[in-house]
Amino acid sequence: MIQISHLRKTYDNGLEVLRDVNATIGRGEVISIIGPSGTGKSTFLRCLNLLESPTGGSIIVDGQDLLSKQTDVPRLRRKMGMVFQSFNLFNHLSVMDNLCIGPVKLLGKSRKQAEARAMELLEMVGLAEKAHAMPSQLSGGQKQRVAIARCLTMNPEIILFDEPTSALDPTMVSEVLGVIRTLAKQGMTMVIVTHEMHFAREVSTRIFYMDQGVVYEEGTPEQIFDHPQHERTRVFINRIRNYHYVIRSPRYDLYQLQGGMALFCTRYYLSEHIQHQVQLLAEEVLQVIPLDKGEVDLALRYSEECHTISLELLMPPGIVTVWKSPQFAPDALSLSIIQGLCDNIIESVDDTPEGPRVRLIFNLKQNEQ
Amino acid sequence: MKNIGKILLLLCLLTACGTKEDEHLSVYRNMDDLNGKKVAILTGCFQEEILEKQYPEVEVLRIDNAADMVQALVTKRCEAIVLDDYMVNYHSHSAKGIVPLEEPFVVAEMGVCFAKGPDTQLLDMFNAFLRQIKADGTYDEMYDRWMYHAHEAEMPHIPLSTDGKPLRVATCSTAPPLDFVKNGKLVGLEVEIITRFASSIGRPIIWSDMNFSSIIPAIVRGTHDIVVAGINITPQRQESVNFSDPHILCHTLVAVRQENAVGYALGAIDRVDATSFYDKVKDSIQRNIIDEDRYLMIWGGLKLTAMIALLACLFGTLFGGVICWMRMSRHTPLRRVASFYINLMRGTPVLVLLMIMFYVVFAGTSVDAVVVSIITFSMNFSAYVSEMFRSSIRSIDKGQTEAGIALGFTPARTFIHIVMPQAFKHVLPVYKGELISLVKMTSVVGYIAVQDLTKVSDIIRSRTFDALFPLIMVAILYFILSWIFAAILDFIGKKVG
Amino acid sequence: MEVNILEQNNEKIVAIKGRMDTITSTDLEVKVSKVWAEPGITLVFDCTGLEYISSSGLRVILSAQKQVSAHGGKMIVRHLSPEVYNVIELTGFAKILTIE
């Protein structure tokens, strides 16, 4: 349906965002674009409907060259819906008018036809009762659902989602993802730029991992998430699946650490009880380990397959001898809490480019509550 | 409306209370007694220079017309006024309590002004005409009628030719009994002389009523053929214009308040005002609105003010839209031009712009002063509204445009359907304020001889010597006009929103 | 964390709200140490608003218990949330403290 070859985009200030993007998007595909921020994911998406004009390359949509002068771009855009991070509902129009303006003014439908279709779509996204509300009266999640419905009024053949949940309160993410999921089931062709890895994995037929201005690696969700081929992809996947924190001194920021852990837990829909336990575990472990002997890398890992959570610490070897030595009497209270929280504690020595490092893995008990 | 009534009442009461009697009254016998005092003089008149040179210690107060000078004297803003005898005569009849000092300030001759240049045909014809009416007694009859009985005097009917090249005559109608407005018509000694002259040479007349200070420039710029406004013949003026033979001999006098004059004794003059407040207001209405059908003149002025404001608003808004588009254009030259225009318009006082347009840009053309006013205010308004438009368009989130374009609208249609309706709501309150200030700003068009509401009040004041009532009346009319304009805008806002 | 100490029916009530961790428990220790040595005191920890406790917080409570007992007083811990109770249980001190 869409063939993209050698797409380039350089901004006026000389910043090269897209270097050489090649991709094809087939009918009925759901493609998630993931990758670190600043690697041109959104720019790539916005080039697909020419909200950004590419510096070079070609985009062929159903055999029509999007970049040719003869192409009626506004007409072509009607086939490509776009959902924005900031919703961009027309603020001066009611929900109903937001949904009718396209069909009435662009497709030449009667107001009555447009309203009937709009009502259908509002029902689909669960907002029929808000038909006469103004955008300012809606929550973020509701706005985004209306924006999706507005896209659908034009009967698009493909919908581009530009980080549709990034501006939302965590509690509202799922209602929007739910609607996108429904569209995926109906066979809508979609390209989604997202940071919701869990969702991307579940809903996509293919994943594009973008980095350094190119589609660095592409493949099925399993290929990308479980067996990434390239080093950069691996590092990225690893980073997003774990929560990392580096502790540099005994006066580390406990609240930042615990806050980050809480966010990680909500992202994976982990219960508050588990969140409480990982926070406690981290605090206790960091109490019994002297932190003035060098940097300690802390990682919180969650395995979706076996639903196990572990806290991993990577540290200079000197520290561990202290931890194990009989002279060092770790605080009995902390130790009993750690032991109470964990199934087992595994210790190993890793060879890293910076020399040998000791790895401590605390596997959290899963039988609680 | 109740509130307006209250304010009006309060203002009337304030003036009705009058000013307190001074404990120690100075007595002025001649100009030397006025050293260090404030003396009012007509802006641009030749006596100004004499006053400054001979009495350097006098504090000079420059005022634009005779009626305001009399008013300034009566309200104690100055101690004396320097004014021509016929005006003092005329005014001491209407405004009680001013008397001239015995010693005249200066004696001078007045002449009719013609354009300077080698072509003196019109001037020669006028001089011949003047000699003739002086010889046959017509002049003496007119002189007697206007100079000594101005309040009863009527203009005789003088038939004028309807075809032929019209004589363009500029005057200043605030100089009774030479040139003034009575029953809505321009009358006076000079007006009659010129009318008779035009009749004798078989040409129609187009009169322009201007401020005294801008009257000489009018003939210098060639917008007029003849200027009459009780102008004294001075060597300075002779450098710019050609004077006719003297047509009036004028004694310039110094007038003071009666209580400062020699021989004044407290209680000698009836100063007690026994009339009630109600009667005073009734009398004011009678004198300022009903007498001589002045309401027609007021209505005319109101219509003119409303028309200038409305058309300036209309054209200014359209042109402002264009300027805004240029200012936001991608092309640097267009942006530069628009930016320069906006800065120029905003940095120039509108009165100065108006004068430049009238005396420089449109000088020598037959473009009507009203049209010049509309053009000037449109230009001024457009600069302000274009910036308003720009900031309100800027205030609309870029995402709105992007969403419109992504939906399939062209950029132009996105602007019309999405951006403009939202910008409209933003701009409306500021726009309303600007429109109201435009209505009030038009009050300066009197400077280029447009008889708008303010000018009408000047004319009425110069006749009735009631400073307060015409000003309050005009203030209320401006207020109502602004209020109507704002209401119309609110109505449009509701319709569109 | 928020600590309020008030007197009610001859009981010193220490109301604790929020998170009691390494950083905040020192504050609690300073406040409670002013009262725990009063002879024959009845010290009550009201934990209604307590969301989180780590070993540091627990240590303060245990020190208080020690001091109060030494001066012939009585100490009670009230209104523990399941999460907080769970931590106390892990350490084996649930039996030592008087928990209501």
Side-chain angles (χ1 to χ4, degrees):
Chain A
M1 184 182 183
I2 303 180
Q3 279 102 37
I4 301 121
S5 36
H6 308 297
L7 190 69
R8 280 190 301 115
K9 172 72 185 175
T10 309
Y11 281 115
D12 292 339
N13 57 15
L15 185 71
E16 191 179 40
V17 202
L18 302 178
R19 282 195 299 147
D20 183 20
V21 177
N22 295 288
T24 49
I25 299 162
R27 206 168 286 280
E29 274 200 292
V30 176
I31 290 170
S32 289
I33 304 177
I34 62 168
S37 42
T39 49
K41 301 187 299 284
S42 286
T43 308
F44 171 53
L45 198 71
R46 290 160 63 84
C47 279
L48 291 184
N49 67 353
L50 294 194
L51 273 185
E52 302 276 359
S53 38
T55 320
S58 76
I59 303 170
I60 312 285
V61 181
D62 285 338
Q64 251 186 310
D65 185 358
L66 204 58
L67 301 178
S68 137
K69 286 250 187 311
Q70 286 86 41
T71 309
D72 182 356
V73 176
R75 181 168 287 279
L76 214 58
R77 281 195 189 116
R78 293 177 201 171
K79 295 202 287 183
M80 310 165 89
M82 185 161 201
V83 174
F84 297 87
Q85 179 179 346
S86 51
F87 331 126
N88 295 347
L89 291 184
F90 302 136
N91 292 325
H92 62 305
L93 301 177
S94 70
V95 167
M96 182 50 89
D97 290 338
N98 260 282
L99 266 61
C100 289
I101 188 168
V104 171
K105 303 256 187 229
L106 293 170
L107 303 180
K109 287 200 182 161
S110 74
R111 175 84 194 176
K112 217 172 159 190
Q113 278 176 308
E115 277 190 14
R117 172 75 177 137
M119 217 53 208
E120 252 171 58
L121 290 168
L122 282 177
E123 243 149 64
M124 189 201 110
V125 299
L127 287 169
E129 64 163 10
K130 297 284 183 190
H132 300 290
M134 293 305 281
S136 56
Q137 297 166 313
L138 303 179
S139 72
Q142 291 173 328
K143 280 184 197 171
Q144 196 59 298
R145 283 187 281 155
V146 171
I148 294 171
R150 180 177 66 185
C151 251
L152 294 170
T153 59
M154 299 296 287
N155 300 319
E157 291 171 20
I158 178 171
I159 302 182
L160 312 172
F161 290 89
D162 187 4
E163 303 198 23
T165 57
S166 296
L168 292 177
D169 206 76
T171 55
M172 293 171 182
V173 170
S174 62
E175 62 188 65
V176 172
L177 295 184
V179 170
I180 301 175
R181 217 174 266 134
T182 313
L183 290 176
K185 275 189 203 131
Q186 291 171 359
M188 174 64 74
T189 313
M190 297 191 281
V191 182
I192 308 166
V193 173
T194 185
H195 292 294
E196 299 289 335
M197 297 307 153
H198 202 66
F199 172 75
R201 179 176 189 140
E202 172 204 325
V203 84
S204 313
T205 54
R206 265 197 304 160
I207 307 278
F208 289 180
Y209 171 70
M210 278 187 75
D211 202 340
Q212 298 183 318
V214 296
V215 176
Y216 199 81
E217 188 168 346
E218 64 166 287
T220 63
E222 289 70 33
Q223 284 170 339
I224 298 292
F225 285 111
D226 298 339
H227 315 286
Q229 297 300 304
H230 300 282
E231 181 56 26
R232 291 189 77 92
T233 320
R234 236 192 311 256
V235 169
F236 177 77
I237 297 295
N238 201 29
R239 286 208 78 81
I240 52 144
R241 309 192 80 193
N242 306 326
Y243 171 69
H244 286 263
Y245 197 83
V246 180
I247 290 149
R248 295 194 171 82
S249 84
R251 284 194 300 278
Y252 68 98
D253 188 343
L254 175 69
Y255 295 138
Q256 190 183 34
L257 170 68
Q258 291 191 333
M261 290 180 144
L263 206 67
F264 178 81
C265 291
T266 16
R267 190 177 297 158
Y268 285 96
Y269 311 110
L270 299 174
S271 71
E272 260 185 55
H273 173 67
I274 292 177
Q275 177 188 323
H276 190 267
Q277 288 197 320
V278 295
Q279 287 178 339
L280 183 63
L281 179 63
E283 187 183 337
E284 299 304 340
V285 167
L286 293 174
Q287 266 197 14
V288 297
I289 292 173
L291 299 173
D292 48 3
K293 300 275 184 332
E295 275 186 15
V296 175
D297 286 336
L298 184 147
L300 184 65
R301 299 192 192 287
Y302 169 59
S303 157
E304 288 173 63
E305 289 78 36
C306 15
H307 298 285
T308 55
I309 299 165
S310 59
L311 186 71
E312 222 177 279
L313 276 84
L314 202 62
M315 48 200 171
I319 297 178
V320 179
T321 38
V322 173
W323 158 263
K324 280 178 78 184
S325 103
Q327 294 98 315
F328 177 75
D331 189 303
L333 261 182
S334 295
L335 210 54
S336 55
I337 292 177
I338 294 168
Q339 277 160 355
L341 287 173
C342 296
D343 265 339
N344 52 32
I345 302 165
I346 301 163
E347 193 188 323
S348 61
V349 179
D350 278 21
D351 274 321
T352 66
E354 296 95 46
R357 302 262 280 171
V358 171
R359 189 184 291 274
L360 265 179
I361 302 173
F362 300 85
N363 286 313
L364 206 69
K365 271 186 194 159
Q366 286 296 299
N367 50 1
E368 252 97 1
Q369 288 182 353
Chain B
M1 288 311 274
K2 234 179 184 173
N3 281 338
I4 303 166
K6 272 183 199 158
I7 293 166
L8 181 62
L9 210 79
L10 193 73
L11 281 166
C12 290
L13 278 172
L14 278 174
T15 36
C17 289
T19 39
K20 268 193 178 169
E21 296 294 324
D22 280 352
E23 287 297 316
H24 302 288
L25 288 167
S26 317
V27 174
Y28 305 125
R29 278 165 295 266
N30 50 40
M31 274 307 289
D32 296 327
D33 290 340
L34 286 159
N35 265 351
K37 307 280 185 193
K38 270 190 187 169
V39 174
I41 197 157
L42 200 62
T43 314
C45 75
F46 82 105
Q47 294 94 337
E48 203 176 315
E49 203 187 326
I50 304 175
L51 184 64
E52 277 183 336
K53 275 202 183 137
Q54 293 187 359
Y55 308 98
E57 278 166 58
V58 163
E59 202 183 325
V60 180
L61 195 67
R62 289 174 180 79
I63 296 179
D64 262 2
N65 66 58
D68 287 347
M69 287 170 69
V70 173
Q71 227 25 261
L73 181 61
V74 172
T75 55
K76 301 190 180 175
R77 290 187 189 283
C78 61
E79 292 303 300
I81 55 176
V82 175
L83 209 55
D84 293 344
D85 56 354
Y86 60 91
M87 285 206 221
V88 176
N89 284 338
Y90 181 87
H91 288 153
S92 57
H93 175 94
S94 318
K96 279 179 189 163
I98 71 163
V99 286
L101 301 182
E102 266 176 35
E103 211 175 286
F105 184 75
V106 72
V107 179
E109 293 167 327
M110 286 189 203
V112 177
C113 304
F114 293 84
K116 199 144 185 84
D119 180 15
T120 57
Q121 195 195 353
L122 195 63
L123 173 64
D124 297 338
M125 279 159 77
F126 181 78
N127 283 340
F129 168 75
L130 196 63
R131 278 192 296 278
Q132 189 213 320
I133 56 169
K134 278 190 173 163
D136 69 11
T138 319
Y139 180 87
D140 289 339
E141 185 275 322
M142 276 192 281
Y143 190 88
D144 180 70
R145 176 153 44 87
W146 289 111
M147 292 308 239
Y148 302 113
H149 308 95
H151 290 272
E152 302 88 46
E154 294 287 340
M155 274 281 276
H157 178 71
I158 302 157
L160 277 174
S161 158
T162 47
D163 43 50
K165 194 168 170 253
L167 273 179
R168 295 167 300 166
V169 188
T171 187
C172 170
S173 73
T174 51
L178 301 183
D179 315 276
F180 62 111
V181 176
K182 190 174 185 181
N183 290 324
K185 274 172 105 192
L186 201 59
V187 296
L189 177 58
E190 285 189 323
V191 176
E192 189 173 334
I193 292 174
I194 294 298
T195 312
R196 282 178 189 275
F197 169 59
S199 171
S200 77
I201 60 170
R203 285 173 69 173
I205 304 184
I206 296 174
W207 289 97
S208 301
D209 185 4
M210 315 177 85
N211 269 347
F212 187 77
S213 47
S214 51
I215 210 156
I216 297 277
I219 203 153
V220 173
R221 302 296 325 177
T223 52
H224 294 86
D225 304 313
I226 298 179
V227 162
V228 279
I231 300 172
N232 287 291
I233 301 171
T234 63
Q236 259 177 331
R237 285 180 182 147
Q238 273 169 330
E239 281 171 24
S240 335
V241 297
N242 278 343
F243 276 102
S244 68
D245 294 339
H247 69 306
I248 296 165
L249 193 66
C250 159
H251 299 255
T252 306
L253 301 179
V254 180
V256 296
R257 284 186 297 277
Q258 203 155 22
E259 68 261 32
N260 299 113
V262 184
Y264 169 75
L266 225 82
I269 289 155
D270 174 28
R271 312 192 80 253
V272 187
D273 229 338
T275 46
S276 74
F277 171 71
Y278 172 75
D279 287 337
K280 267 189 172 177
V281 173
K282 216 174 104 180
D283 177 55
S284 285
I285 291 173
Q286 177 71 35
R287 281 195 303 142
N288 291 297
I289 300 179
I290 298 166
D291 280 358
E292 300 183 12
D293 290 345
R294 291 208 172 95
Y295 54 89
L296 288 177
M297 196 160 72
I298 297 165
W299 173 237
L302 186 65
K303 276 197 294 191
L304 209 53
T305 294
M307 186 183 81
I308 292 171
L310 192 69
L311 291 179
C313 162
L314 222 66
F315 294 128
T317 305
L318 291 176
F319 193 47
V322 175
I323 296 294
C324 173
W325 173 79
M326 283 169 65
R327 183 78 178 77
M328 295 182 84
S329 156
R330 255 181 299 172
H331 304 283
T332 317
L334 278 183
R335 271 205 317 272
R336 291 255 169 84
V337 169
S339 176
F340 176 73
Y341 174 83
I342 291 165
N343 285 328
L344 188 71
M345 286 299 136
R346 295 205 299 190
T348 316
V350 71
L351 176 57
V352 174
L353 182 68
L354 185 72
M355 305 280 243
I356 291 171
M357 291 296 283
F358 189 69
Y359 292 116
V360 182
V361 180
F362 287 103
T365 64
S366 59
V367 177
D368 191 73
V370 176
V371 177
V372 174
S373 307
I374 292 171
I375 293 171
T376 306
F377 284 102
S378 300
M379 285 164 67
N380 181 271
F381 195 60
S382 68
Y384 284 94
V385 295
S386 72
E387 282 298 271
M388 275 188 238
F389 288 167
R390 189 165 73 101
S391 73
S392 63
I393 290 168
R394 278 275 175 84
S395 74
I396 307 302
D397 182 39
K398 232 180 101 198
Q400 297 283 316
T401 310
E402 285 186 351
I405 286 175
L407 209 57
F409 284 107
T410 59
R413 291 188 77 189
T414 306
F415 181 76
I416 293 167
H417 293 304
I418 313 296
V419 179
M420 219 161 66
Q422 297 185 50
F424 182 78
K425 272 188 196 158
H426 273 260
V427 86
L428 204 61
V430 250
Y431 183 83
K432 197 162 84 182
E434 198 56 44
L435 176 59
I436 289 173
S437 91
L438 171 71
V439 172
K440 292 178 294 184
M441 245 183 337
T442 60
S443 63
V444 299
V445 294
Y447 274 85
I448 59 162
V450 176
Q451 201 167 313
D452 74 323
L453 202 49
T454 306
K455 181 76 178 183
V456 165
S457 96
D458 283 348
I459 295 170
I460 294 175
R461 276 187 305 139
S462 72
R463 293 275 288 126
T464 62
F465 297 96
D466 190 343
L468 182 83
F469 190 86
L471 286 176
I472 299 285
M473 176 185 68
V474 161
I476 292 170
L477 287 174
Y478 272 109
F479 173 79
I480 294 172
L481 198 61
S482 309
W483 181 79
I484 291 172
F485 272 49
I488 291 171
L489 217 54
D490 282 340
F491 178 74
I492 295 171
K494 268 194 201 124
K495 271 271 144 125
V496 176
Chain C
M1 190 188 62
E2 202 181 306
V3 180
N4 283 308
I5 301 181
L6 50 130
E7 199 144 2
Q8 215 172 49
N9 309 330
N10 297 326
E11 290 177 342
K12 273 260 180 330
I13 299 180
V14 184
I16 314 166
K17 277 185 178 153
R19 299 172 75 86
M20 213 196 317
D21 53 37
T22 325
I23 299 166
T24 56
S25 50
T26 4
D27 178 42
L28 178 71
E29 185 156 13
V30 169
K31 283 181 176 163
V32 179
S33 62
K34 284 177 189 156
V35 295
W36 66 24
E38 288 175 22
I41 192 179
T42 307
L43 190 65
V44 177
F45 283 95
D46 179 358
C47 303
T48 312
L50 186 63
E51 296 160 7
Y52 174 94
I53 192 165
S54 73
S55 60
S56 320
L58 214 50
R59 206 168 292 125
V60 177
I61 292 181
L62 293 175
S63 309
Q65 176 73 67
K66 218 183 253 176
Q67 291 291 329
V68 169
S69 304
H71 292 86
K74 201 171 87 177
M75 199 184 95
I76 305 166
V77 183
R78 266 185 205 148
H79 308 307
L80 287 173
S81 72
E83 292 292 356
V84 176
Y85 181 76
N86 202 14
V87 179
I88 297 176
E89 210 176 19
L90 279 180
T91 58
F93 284 105
K95 295 181 203 82
I96 297 164
L97 299 169
T98 317
I99 297 171
E100 288 182 356

